[in-house]
């Protein structure tokens, strides 16, 4: 005979609100009849209630609380002394007493069944300990553009160690090539210099000419391997005296920009043909070593911020604009350099907007900044010489927010805006450039002569991002345009993996202000991750090796790429990658995987205790597995709107729709339950990216099986229930129950 | 009579070297077609009709043709496996359906 299980059931009457519909005494009585200890309290979530539970339990008592929804009063119930994983809460208020108050008898039966199921759930629950891991308090920033620099500065200010990895010889990215910033029209040099000074001042290390080649380790303790290309000039020794620059016979040593960080000259080994070694001989500090080779090194970081920026769209294949055919046609980024060389001689400049952008064949999206960039450049031309003629050919001018004022200013300055994109850019015999355009405002074709043409090309994914795609593999999520995006609205800074964040234009087209903003958001996420990670529960998936057949389906279906093989060839989930979604639990064909908060044993024995005939022999009984992030809470909300549904539906919250295993659904149908609902998010909105679609795939194979068995496939259904989908649930279940009643009871039900 | 793999349903256990049917088959008859990435029975006449592959297939892609000693053409036997239960649907040559649910000795 087994010892009496250490399970205690607490039933709350919620100040009489539950008592009005259900008899709490009868509920506790039912549990006591089953040989378990049951207690009731009028107000469990009050301080007295919590004390009452704590007085009657010890640390390893398994506690079932039958009260309101498990998602209410979570902070109050977190004060219990029992291990968090031994406490389970079932809802006899919102989803029982409230919504079924017109049917108290059925509501009582439902509550009783829910309690019985809850008891099974706690019976097979296990306590789980916390563990702590040390975190490397370093943020590695990949990319040294404006976003990367600011990420490093913010991280340093927040008390972390920051480190920049930049592939090119200098920091500053695209911004250091710019002529002015909009809308204040100040030179980027000023802002950039301040940022560089802060880097210098805070001794933030920046590895230039460095490329990330592999990523190992776990969030909190990443190990990055990088390659350093030879620089030939020692950063620490060089004093920028300029002797080598003067002496080099091939001009292979130079300072490319007045704003160089690190501020040492660049030695171009390709141009340096003859091995004269003059520079290394002449250098007073012996900083030059022409025999330097590539080197490899490793560094450790707790978190990584990807700030690989953008590249300008190359309009080569758009032959109608004459790019690279006529030497006075530039892209807007090239024009930033060109504009510095212009004199105050009167010139006519034509800007063509949306080159390659908003075009399904090239960049399908709007690049966000090109309108502002063209207006900025046009205004700079006007400042240079007010007689300069400037034309801007556009589809739509997009200057959101206060940038609209900037556009108005351009209108006032006499810049010509022409609605229509030139169909042809051609050089005339007398050396002018002719643009023919259909002006959709005047409704006629016009020809404009210009000296220079600027193509407003958009921002596209950079080579750096594409290279990183190889290194980081599945850890980053890329959208169809190649940008690093995970969950755009709520977590724009997150990647698929904890500890890896993104900042700047690698997320999508953005201007300097937004880049700096994004830098701070990525640092805040990284910071909270580093602080949060110190304590966590060991509630990641557990694989029953007796059952596991090593089919590797869990490895394939895990959306976070968390699975690895242990030394004996069995899969195990990497604790740092796993997000406890339970999709592996749903995937396992033999039901060998369980996660900390839920396991197959629990679900299976919960189905065992359901009395299928509880509402009558011909009344359908439905089991609904609902995603606890959205669907379950939507069902919770029904009571708030005063809605009601039939009590025949028993709901079970699960971490993700993808956590429902086909075996469990098969068991439910086998044991005579008439219908099974799996409720999840819309595919694109799934919190664990693949869960919802995988769940539908699995439901489909069960339905196929049912059809084969000459059972109605409609008995198992997947519903898309978003967070605000209370009405969707009501309508869908109403139809579902009607269909079930029409088809009659499950032939596998034993009466 | 041998197992029949429904190609549309089989996903080759997501393309890993050994699908579940290959692992479970006592005669080592099931294997993966490298070109199509679908499972098949490589020696049909050696099959013992144990139906292990049918029961374990997570996609329900393997059907069993019943040997004529048990039922002529049209007769079918379909298992549905739960964590600790199995439900058999038996269809005889006249289309008569009988269903049996059992507890298995598998742990939940």
């Amino acid at each position: 005979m087994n010892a009496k299980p250490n399970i205690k059931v607490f039933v709350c009457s919620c100040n009489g609100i539950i008592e009005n519909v259900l008899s709490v005494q009868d509920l506790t009585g039912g549990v006591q009849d089953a040989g378990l200890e049951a207690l009731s309290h009028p107000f469990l979530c009050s301080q007295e209630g919590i004390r009452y539970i704590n007085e009657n339990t010890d640390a390893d008592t398994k506690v079932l609380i039958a009260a309101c929804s498990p998602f209410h009063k979570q902070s109050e119930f977190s004060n219990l002394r029992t291990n968090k994983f031994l406490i389970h809460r079932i809802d006899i208020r919102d989803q029982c007493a409230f919504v079924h108050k017109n049917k108290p008898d059925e509501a009582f039966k439902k509550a009783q069944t829910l309690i019985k199921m809850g008891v099974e759930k706690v019976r097979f629950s296990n306590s789980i300990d916390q563990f702590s891991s040390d975190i490397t308090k370093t943020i590695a920033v990949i990319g040294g553009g404006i976003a990367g620099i600011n990420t490093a500065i913010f991280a340093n200010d927040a008390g972390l160690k920051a480190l920049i990895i930049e592939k090119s010889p200098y920091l500053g990215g695209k911004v250091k090539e710019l002529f002015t910033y909009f809308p204040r029209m100040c030179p980027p040099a000023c802002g950039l210099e301040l940022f560089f000074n802060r880097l210098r001042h805070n001794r933030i290390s920046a590895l230039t000419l460095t490329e990330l080649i592999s990523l190992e380790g776990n969030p909190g303790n990443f190990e990055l391997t990088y390659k350093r290309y030879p620089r030939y000039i020692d950063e620490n020794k060089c004093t920028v005296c300029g002797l080598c620059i003067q002496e080099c016979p091939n001009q292979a040593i130079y300072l490319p920009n007045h704003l160089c960080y690190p501020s040492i000259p660049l030695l171009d080994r390709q141009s340096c043909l003859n091995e004269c070694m003059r520079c290394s001989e002449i250098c007073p500090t012996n900083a030059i070593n022409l025999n330097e080779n590539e080197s490899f090194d490793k560094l450790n970081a707790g978190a990584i911020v990807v700030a690989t920026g953008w590249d300008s769209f190359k309009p080569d294949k758009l032959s109608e604009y004459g790019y690279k055919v006529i030497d006075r046609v530039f892209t807007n980024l090239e024009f930033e350099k060109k504009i510095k060389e212009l004199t105050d001689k009167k010139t006519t400049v034509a800007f063509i907007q949306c080159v390659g952008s908003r075009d399904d064949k090239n960049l399908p999206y709007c690049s966000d900044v090109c309108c502002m960039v063209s207006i900025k450049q046009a205004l700079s031309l006007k400042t240079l010489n007010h007689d300069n003629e400037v034309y801007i050919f556009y589809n739509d001018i997009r200057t959101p927010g206060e940038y609209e004022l900037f556009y108005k200013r351009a209108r006032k300055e006499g810049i010509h805006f022409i609605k229509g994109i030139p169909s042809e850019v051609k050089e005339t015999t007398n050396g002018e450039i002719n643009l023919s355009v259909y002006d959709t405002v005047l409704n006629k074709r016009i020809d404009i002569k210009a000296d220079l043409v600027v193509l407003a090309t958009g921002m596209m994914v950079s080579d750096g991002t594409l290279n990183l795609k190889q290194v980081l593999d599945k850890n980053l999520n890329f959208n169809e345009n190649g940008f690093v995006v995970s969950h755009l609205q709520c977590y724009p800074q997150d990647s698929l993996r904890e500890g890896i964040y993104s900042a700047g234009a690698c997320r999508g087209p953005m201007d300097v202000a937004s880049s700096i903003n994004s830098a701070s958001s990525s640092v805040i996420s990284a910071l909270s991750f580093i602080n949060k990670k110190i304590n966590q529960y060991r509630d990641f998936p557990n694989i029953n090796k007796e059952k596991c057949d090593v089919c590797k389906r869990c490895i394939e279906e895990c959306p976070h790429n968390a699975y690895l093989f242990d030394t004996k060839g069995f899969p195990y989930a990497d604790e740092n990658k796993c997000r406890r979604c339970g999709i592996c639990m749903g995937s396992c064909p033999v039901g060998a995987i369980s996660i900390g908060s839920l396991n197959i044993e629990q679900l299976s024995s919960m189905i065992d205790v359901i009395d299928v005939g509880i509402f009558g022999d011909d009344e359908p009984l439905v089991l609904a597995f609902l995603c606890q992030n959205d669907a379950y809470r939507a069902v919770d909300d029904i009571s708030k709107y005063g809605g009601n549904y039939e009590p025949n539906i028993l709901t079970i919250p699960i971490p993700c729709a993808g956590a429902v295993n086909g075996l469990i659904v098969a068991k439910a149908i086998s044991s005579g339950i008439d219908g099974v609902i799996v409720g999840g998010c819309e595919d694109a909105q799934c919190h664990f990216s693949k869960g919802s679609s995988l769940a539908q795939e699995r439901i489909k194979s069960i339905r196929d099986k049912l059809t084969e068995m000459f059972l109605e496939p409609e008995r198992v259904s997947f519903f898309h229930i978003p967070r605000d989908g209370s009405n969707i649930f009501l309508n869908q279940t109403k139809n579902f129950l009607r269909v079930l009643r029409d088809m009659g009871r499950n032939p596998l039900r034993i009466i | 009579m041998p197992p029949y793999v429904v190609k549309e349903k089989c996903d080759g256990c997501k393309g890993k070297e050994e699908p579940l049917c290959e692992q479970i088959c006592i005669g080592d008859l099931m294997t993966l077609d490298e070109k199509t990435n679908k499972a098949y029975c490589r020696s049909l006449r050696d099959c013992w009709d144990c139906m292990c592959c049918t029961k374990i297939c997570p996609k329900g892609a393997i059907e069993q043709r019943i040997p004529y000693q048990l039922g002529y053409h049209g007769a079918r036997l379909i298992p549905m496996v739960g964590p600790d239960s199995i439900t058999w649907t038996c269809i005889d040559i006249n289309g008569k359906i009988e269903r049996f649910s059992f507890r298995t000795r598998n742990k939940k």
Side-chain angles (χ1 to χ4, degrees), chain A residues 586-597:
Chain A
S587 75
C588 183
V590 290
I593 305 180
S594 54
I595 56 169
S597 54

Side-chain angles (χ1 to χ4, degrees), chain A residues 190-204:
Chain A
C190 156
L192 214 49
E193 185 133 41
L194 280 173
F195 293 138
F196 285 159
N197 281 338
R198 288 179 72 183
L199 289 180
R200 247 177 235 128
H201 208 74
N202 294 308
R203 303 215 167 97
I204 296 170

Side-chain angles (χ1 to χ4, degrees), chain B residues 21-69:
Chain B
C21 47
E22 180 168 349
Q23 293 192 29
I24 201 92
C25 181
I26 27 179
D28 196 15
L29 303 176
M30 298 300 294
T31 190
L32 207 59
D33 183 336
E34 276 177 18
K35 279 185 203 140
T36 57
N37 214 3
K38 310 278 176 193
Y40 73 102
C41 178
R42 57 182 170 188
S43 177
L44 299 173
R45 60 176 197 173
D46 290 328
C47 175
W48 294 355
D49 308 300
C50 69
M51 292 185 74
C52 288
C53 54
T54 313
K55 284 190 272 184
I56 203 152
C57 179
K59 305 295 281 184
I62 306 179
E63 289 173 12
Q64 192 78 17
R65 299 280 181 258
I66 299 183
Y68 71 93
Q69 295 93 330

Side-chain angles (χ1 to χ4, degrees), chain A residues 130 199 516 569:
Chain A
Q130 277 189 329
L199 289 180
I516 296 175

Side-chain angles (χ1 to χ4, degrees), chain A residues 62 157 186 520 603 642 657 714 726:
Chain A
K62 296 181 173 180
D157 289 354
C186 47
S520 64
L603 290 169
E714 293 80 17
S726 306

Side-chain angles (χ1 to χ4, degrees), chain A residues 165-273:
Chain A
I165 296 173
E166 167 61 44
K167 202 164 70 168
S168 72
Y170 298 102
L171 298 190
K174 297 273 190 300
V175 166
K176 71 170 182 291
E177 297 169 17
L178 300 185
F179 176 60
T180 44
Y181 276 153
F182 60 79
R184 287 181 57 171
M185 304 298 276
C186 47
C190 156
L192 214 49
E193 185 133 41
L194 280 173
F195 293 138
F196 285 159
N197 281 338
R198 288 179 72 183
L199 289 180
R200 247 177 235 128
H201 208 74
N202 294 308
R203 303 215 167 97
I204 296 170
S205 36
L207 302 169
T208 48
L209 283 169
T210 303
E211 196 176 358
L212 183 68
I213 53 170
S214 79
L215 177 77
E216 305 281 322
N218 300 315
N221 290 300
F222 286 117
E223 194 179 77
L224 290 81
T225 312
Y226 59 85
K227 180 155 100 178
R228 288 208 85 169
Y229 294 99
R231 176 142 220 151
Y232 309 110
I233 301 176
D234 191 330
E235 249 176 80
N236 300 324
K237 288 185 186 165
C238 178
T239 57
V240 210
C241 62
L243 270 178
C244 53
I245 301 176
Q246 285 165 22
E247 285 295 319
C248 180
N250 288 324
Q251 278 94 44
I253 309 180
Y254 57 95
L255 273 167
N257 199 309
H258 65 284
L259 247 186
C260 285
Y261 186 96
S263 56
I264 51 171
L266 185 66
L267 199 159
D268 182 358
R269 205 73 171 84
Q270 234 93 60
S271 318
C272 160
L273 289 172

Side-chain angles (χ1 to χ4, degrees), chain A residues 28 54 60 83-84 189 325 377 391 474 556 649 660 671 676 702 720:
Chain A
T28 51
N54 278 337
D60 50 358
N83 185 294
K84 178 175 135 180
V325 178
Q377 290 171 348
Y391 295 91
K474 284 189 192 168
E556 287 299 310
I649 301 161
V660 181
S671 55
V676 176
I702 295 163
H720 287 295

